[in-house]
Amino acid sequence: MSPPSDVKVVLLGTEYCGKSSLVERYLHDRFRGENCYQNTVGAAYGSKLFEINVNGSPRALIMGIWDTAGSERYQSMSRLYYRSARAAILCFDITCRESWAKVQFWKKEVQRHERLCRIYLCATKMDKLLAEDQADGTEGHAPAIEGAVVSRFAQESEAALFHTTRIGSSPTTNFVFHLNPPHFTFGMPLAARARARSLSTESGLCCEVVDTLHRALPVTKAGAHSDEEP
Amino acid sequence: MADGQTGLHPARASERTRVAPGGPTNAERLNDGAEAGIFAPPPAGLMPRSRPQGPALQPPPPTPGGGSAKLLCRNGCGFFGNPEWHWYCSKCWRAHPQRSLVAPPTTRSSGLTLGPPASPRSRPASAGTSAGGGGSTTRSSGDPRASHSGPKAPSGDLTLRQRLKLTPKSPRSPASATGAPSGPPATFDWRQHLSNLPHIRASTECLSAGQVLASHLRHWVDGKSLAEIWVLIHTLLEKIDASHETTPIDTIASQVQEVYLTLRAKFIQWDVPDDDLSVILEQSEAYLSLATYPLLFCPSSTNDEEKDLRLQNRIRSLNWITTQELRCVIQESSQRVRDLLHDAINDIVALDSQQTPQAKLKSLVTCCKKLIEMLLISNEKAASADEFLPCLIYVCLKANPPRLQSNVNYITRFCIEDNLRMGDGGYYFASLCSALSFIENMDAASVDMDSTDFHNYVTGRSLPPGSWKCTLLMSEGLQVMVQNKRILESLSERQHQALTQTTSLSQQMDNFAQEIHEEVADILRKTAYVIKAPRTVKRLHFPVTSSSTKEPPCSKLVDLPTPTGHQLSLDNFEGCSTQNAIPGIVCQNLQHLSLQEEDDDLM
């Protein structure tokens, strides 16, 4: 069942950091009612068929999203999952320092074993921070990781950075949408970073991440990079 | 095709480095690095590089749960070793001088190309031309000799088991070699060719798979290309048939994979659409694997069988593990969940009985989908990998599927690579490998337990508290009992319902009868009969009173029942027009009679 262009996307991150919600949201919520290609119940594995335009000619792609078990005890097995993956989404809970530490670990692992794998960072649960930003003093979590640290890390590892809120919470303009999409071609390593293209978005919803990801994946000519948007 | 090149099959990777011994490729280096970087050695299932045991190799005792220092390569290069490579790392194992004993050069000289696999483009051409000039005859007659001479040359290195397997089969080879066909490739008779291969016994499934493949192929390609494909497949079959006992299994696996790639390239060249392409590829895979399954599944040249036994014992020693230890969140008390669990166990056990990699994967996928459904029922939300993997581990522990390691190895070696890398089959297979790896390396820390407790439980010295619960839940008799109880409950419920309904029906009937009675009585009361006849009769007789000599005309009717008497006998009926009419008619008759008499009198 595999046309020549399959894209394997693997989700890595600690337990309960929201990676499963990401897939669930993407596969089951947003595209409900559309002609979606989806053959499993549950978010452990999902696949989606979509068409892209490569140099003017349409091309079918199947994106398979592989969820991994984030628990420490299954850590040693994760390599079975990210083997020959084309993209890895490293999720971390913005309020949890351990999950950030794990992201750094995964980044090294993935970059060492899968040269062709693009890395995407995804800071989840941004809504918890927002609660604190509001002046009424509601209980909110302090960010466990400085935003600057995260963006520096993202730049160093040439990774696109996304912020997402919990499902159901309303997106705000405070969310910064960095996009550093890759010059991505099948079977070829990264080329030089391309011209900057700013892409800001009002919505930091989960599904945006993967959506933007698969828009970014097939790009062969125009990569993009954006500066921070205040 | 870039995908196919980059997704490295372990077996092919090893093949490639053997071709170019200048140094490991990047990918190989990555593999080695992986073992060093990850805490536990990778599962045996995904890196099958087993070799027959040479006499000079003494593997150190395996150290489950030991420190990572003991897992290092015996060469001291700093990378991790693997029991499959006798505790060398992959690089040192390949460089090890003893390896040459395993595949002696004598077998290679007998017409077989075990060296670098031909490129996908060049191979079919050579196969086609050589078969065209009667090449297939010389090849097939040469091959049995190869298997004949094979066991003699390296006899010192073969185990007894291998030699026992070789000797009874060799007498058959020369006889069949004489009957090898030499047809031109334009009309390649695959059936006949198959029946002439000495070791391959074509089962009915295999023949039907061949037929399906043939009909499908005919739809897409012309006669010459069809023959080309058959020659390609059957050259491989011949090769496997002749040398399956002497060639390392990984070499065979890479040859098979090479054929899949060649086929794929050809179909793309012939513009077969994607969907049909994958169908045809799967059908060729089915045909190939059904033909060679007895030879290539758990072959004697590997230690798959021992690994199966080891895994089985390991799972048996862990049968006390419950869902709590695994943090597997399923509601075992729910009957629906238990039914699904049993179905899933059946599916994963059925994996062994399937004979093609695709079918095996399919039963794995069915099993996993049931698990996901089970999790969905238990948690009321979509299952993620965090919940799914423990569940799969639990099912593996409870099912203890037969020859699981062999099955995993077989799928890894002979499944079309793309199907293993992509799709839900690939995902669940990776999960299964993870589960096996977890089971093999499970220790006290990985299930959050005290290490002495864990040791005691594993060795069977003591039983964990609450283990009876799990056993009870899994017990067959209890299952049946619970099911029967459920059926009985539903029966009694239905009986009760039936009883209530009967009572209410009889009540309704009584009511109805009562109502009818009342209504009848009511109507009767309203329409009480009033006798009018006497008055009419009186009036009629009035004018003839003068002729009193005659007896009154009504005296003739004395015997008739009086209208009132008649009326009384009709009491039970509802008033209707006929009944009312009867006295009327009688009266009219009477009147008529009396009038006639009067006339007679007047005359």
Side-chain angles (χ1 to χ4, degrees):
Chain A
M1 286 301 147
S2 45
S5 41
D6 275 351
V7 186
K8 175 169 158 184
V9 179
V10 68
L11 282 158
L12 293 164
T14 48
E15 256 175 318
Y16 311 119
C17 73
K19 52 189 178 340
S20 310
S21 313
L22 209 68
V23 190
E24 206 178 325
R25 174 80 173 182
Y26 176 64
L27 286 175
H28 303 295
D29 224 350
R30 177 165 178 190
F31 292 89
R32 186 176 294 156
E34 287 179 31
N35 185 20
C36 58
Y37 178 87
Q38 154 192 329
N39 44 14
T40 46
V41 196
Y45 170 82
S47 63
K48 190 161 170 53
L49 178 73
F50 54 91
E51 260 190 19
I52 52 155
N53 237 331
V54 177
N55 301 331
S57 61
R59 186 175 161 199
L61 267 184
I62 291 179
M63 180 167 68
I65 303 173
W66 292 37
D67 191 8
T68 58
S71 170
E72 184 87 27
R73 54 168 77 169
Y74 305 121
Q75 189 171 287
S76 55
M77 271 87 80
S78 292
R79 202 181 146 227
L80 293 171
Y81 288 93
Y82 60 74
R83 165 176 299 196
S84 74
R86 291 314 163 107
I89 305 176
L90 310 184
C91 301
F92 63 98
D93 183 348
I94 194 80
T95 60
C96 171
R97 185 153 271 285
E98 291 88 62
S99 70
W100 173 245
K102 266 285 164 289
V103 160
Q104 291 168 311
F105 168 77
W106 287 126
K107 185 221 138 193
K108 276 185 209 137
E109 285 289 304
V110 172
Q111 284 194 333
R112 182 159 51 168
H113 299 136
E114 301 293 332
R115 293 263 166 88
L116 304 177
C117 184
R118 279 297 305 165
I119 290 179
Y120 294 80
L121 283 176
C122 180
T124 60
K125 308 192 184 174
M126 292 298 282
D127 49 323
K128 285 192 178 177
L129 293 189
L130 286 176
E132 197 180 43
D133 282 350
Q134 287 154 7
D136 58 353
T138 43
E139 289 258 334
H141 294 255
I145 316 103
E146 290 287 320
V149 175
V150 176
S151 31
R152 194 162 355 105
F153 179 78
Q155 274 191 344
E156 278 166 13
S157 47
E158 296 190 322
L161 175 65
F162 299 90
H163 293 83
T164 65
T165 59
R166 209 174 45 203
I167 292 171
S169 67
S170 56
T172 60
T173 47
N174 280 358
F175 284 162
V176 181
F177 215 109
H178 305 251
L179 194 68
N180 183 8
H183 180 130
F184 189 89
T185 43
F186 293 102
M188 276 179 58
L190 281 175
R193 191 178 296 164
R195 179 182 56 83
R197 177 170 63 104
S198 89
L199 194 150
S200 70
T201 175
E202 296 279 296
S203 65
L205 285 176
C206 311
C207 41
E208 288 296 327
V209 175
V210 191
D211 187 38
T212 316
L213 166 69
H214 80 60
R215 241 185 283 129
L217 273 179
V219 170
T220 47
K221 284 278 156 65
H225 167 248
S226 83
D227 295 323
E228 275 192 29
E229 299 236 338
Chain B
M1 288 315 294
D3 280 7
Q5 296 289 346
T6 49
L8 276 171
H9 190 273
R12 183 149 338 110
S14 72
E15 188 68 22
R16 222 172 267 163
T17 35
R18 201 175 301 149
V19 176
T25 60
N26 276 346
E28 281 302 298
R29 216 63 188 105
L30 286 177
N31 274 350
D32 294 346
E35 284 139 35
I38 288 174
F39 302 132
L46 280 201
M47 321 217 78
R49 257 172 239 182
S50 42
R51 300 283 184 273
Q53 291 184 359
L57 295 170
Q58 297 292 332
T63 56
S68 57
K70 290 179 186 167
L71 299 175
L72 290 175
C73 171
R74 291 175 78 197
N75 240 12
C77 64
F79 285 111
F80 278 72
N82 190 307
E84 293 217 9
W85 307 319
H86 303 278
W87 296 100
Y88 285 95
C89 73
S90 58
K91 202 185 150 202
C92 296
W93 167 250
R94 246 171 266 120
H96 198 274
Q98 294 294 335
R99 206 176 57 81
S100 58
L101 287 175
V102 174
T106 41
T107 49
R108 296 186 177 219
S109 61
S110 56
L112 291 171
T113 49
L114 297 186
S119 76
R121 300 278 167 182
S122 66
R123 175 183 278 243
S126 66
T129 49
S130 70
S136 66
T137 323
T138 53
R139 189 176 298 214
S140 59
S141 64
D143 280 347
R145 247 178 279 132
S147 72
H148 224 15
S149 64
K152 275 176 193 161
S155 60
D157 303 314
L158 287 173
T159 61
L160 184 62
R161 191 171 48 162
Q162 285 169 316
R163 238 179 293 167
L164 279 175
K165 273 203 97 169
L166 281 177
T167 37
K169 278 177 183 168
S170 37
R172 287 191 55 196
S173 313
S176 60
T178 53
S182 58
T187 55
F188 187 85
D189 188 356
W190 56 275
R191 246 178 257 264
Q192 204 200 337
H193 189 265
L194 196 66
S195 63
N196 281 327
L197 294 172
H199 294 138
I200 290 175
R201 276 196 208 97
S203 58
T204 44
E205 290 98 9
C206 172
L207 289 178
S208 63
Q211 210 149 20
V212 168
L213 175 64
S215 64
H216 215 109
L217 279 176
R218 224 170 285 134
H219 187 253
W220 284 108
V221 295
D222 56 0
K224 193 160 167 284
S225 316
L226 187 71
E228 207 177 311
I229 287 169
W230 281 119
V231 167
L232 186 69
I233 292 176
H234 276 262
T235 317
L236 178 73
L237 280 180
E238 251 175 49
K239 233 187 252 180
I240 293 173
D241 181 63
S243 63
H244 66 98
E245 277 154 334
T246 47
T247 318
I249 190 77
D250 295 331
T251 315
I252 298 179
S254 63
Q255 284 167 351
V256 172
Q257 293 291 345
E258 204 63 51
V259 166
Y260 291 150
L261 278 183
T262 314
L263 283 178
R264 193 192 175 82
K266 277 190 172 302
F267 291 136
I268 288 175
Q269 195 186 332
W270 293 329
D271 286 336
V272 179
D274 281 342
D275 290 344
D276 290 278
L277 183 128
S278 56
V279 170
I280 293 181
L281 272 181
E282 273 169 31
Q283 280 166 352
S284 356
E285 187 206 70
Y287 175 64
L288 263 173
S289 12
L290 283 170
T292 58
Y293 190 75
L295 308 183
L296 298 183
F297 181 78
C298 190
S300 58
S301 62
T302 62
N303 57 351
D304 283 0
E305 206 177 332
E306 291 159 37
K307 277 187 277 181
D308 281 338
L309 277 178
R310 215 181 311 142
L311 182 66
Q312 217 155 30
N313 288 334
R314 173 77 177 157
I315 290 178
R316 214 170 284 149
S317 75
L318 289 171
N319 70 348
W320 49 270
I321 294 265
T322 63
T323 44
Q324 272 97 40
E325 275 96 21
L326 292 172
R327 286 197 225 137
C328 173
V329 275
I330 54 170
Q331 292 171 354
E332 277 186 294
S333 49
S334 147
Q335 183 60 38
R336 177 125 176 67
V337 166
R338 263 183 296 175
D339 287 347
L340 280 169
L341 187 65
H342 274 256
D343 287 352
I345 287 175
N346 284 343
D347 283 329
I348 203 169
V349 168
L351 188 135
D352 182 55
S353 59
Q354 307 289 352
Q355 299 211 331
T356 67
Q358 258 349 286
K360 281 175 194 289
L361 275 186
K362 226 165 259 170
S363 29
L364 178 66
V365 169
T366 354
C367 165
C368 291
K369 284 196 173 156
K370 280 184 186 135
L371 293 186
I372 283 178
E373 198 187 333
M374 192 168 89
L375 285 168
L376 202 65
I377 295 170
S378 302
N379 302 333
E380 290 174 351
K381 69 181 177 78
S384 71
D386 284 327
E387 289 125 28
F388 171 69
L389 191 57
C391 203
L392 186 63
I393 294 171
Y394 183 66
V395 165
C396 284
L397 285 177
K398 288 301 153 201
N400 201 351
R403 301 193 286 179
L404 189 53
Q405 189 68 60
S406 294
N407 278 305
V408 166
N409 288 354
Y410 183 75
I411 295 174
T412 319
R413 285 167 191 150
F414 298 109
C415 187
I416 298 172
E417 237 183 289
D418 273 347
N419 290 356
L420 215 51
R421 219 157 32 83
M422 293 297 170
D424 49 356
Y427 179 76
Y428 294 127
F429 187 69
S431 302
L432 180 67
C433 291
S434 296
L436 289 191
S437 155
F438 183 78
I439 289 172
E440 273 168 22
N441 301 313
M442 195 194 284
D443 57 12
S446 58
V447 286
D448 300 332
M449 276 177 76
D450 188 52
S451 62
T452 47
D453 278 353
F454 184 83
H455 185 70
N456 285 345
Y457 297 157
V458 167
T459 51
R461 223 174 288 163
S462 62
L463 276 175
S467 65
W468 58 271
K469 257 191 220 162
C470 172
T471 323
L472 264 189
L473 285 174
M474 299 301 293
S475 140
E476 187 79 18
L478 207 76
Q479 284 287 322
V480 175
M481 205 176 79
V482 169
Q483 262 172 18
N484 286 348
K485 196 178 151 223
R486 203 173 39 173
I487 293 170
L488 279 177
E489 266 168 12
S490 82
L491 274 180
S492 107
E493 172 86 4
R494 279 163 62 188
Q495 199 190 6
H496 181 72
Q497 214 172 0
L499 266 178
T500 340
Q501 279 175 356
T502 319
T503 333
S504 85
L505 183 65
S506 85
Q507 185 81 31
Q508 272 178 10
M509 282 167 71
D510 285 349
N511 285 350
F512 184 68
Q514 185 75 23
E515 270 171 33
I516 293 291
H517 270 295
E518 277 169 14
E519 210 169 315
V520 167
D522 193 37
I523 288 171
L524 280 180
R525 197 163 8 99
K526 277 181 194 161
T527 58
Y529 184 71
V530 183
I531 306 165
K532 292 171 182 170
R535 202 180 60 188
T536 329
V537 172
K538 267 183 193 168
R539 207 172 44 195
L540 274 171
H541 284 279
F542 187 66
V544 288
T545 40
S546 55
S547 57
S548 54
T549 51
K550 297 260 175 113
E551 53 178 276
C554 357
S555 62
K556 276 184 188 172
L557 304 169
V558 164
D559 292 336
L560 287 172
T562 60
T564 43
H566 184 69
Q567 174 69 27
L568 282 173
S569 70
L570 289 171
D571 238 359
N572 288 338
F573 295 97
E574 277 186 29
C576 73
S577 60
T578 51
Q579 282 149 24
N580 286 335
I582 289 171
I585 291 167
V586 171
C587 293
Q588 274 179 359
N589 286 344
L590 286 176
Q591 197 177 0
H592 188 65
L593 267 176
S594 58
L595 280 175
Q596 270 189 337
E597 279 171 8
E598 272 177 29
D599 290 347
D600 288 347
D601 285 348
L602 288 173
M603 295 290 276

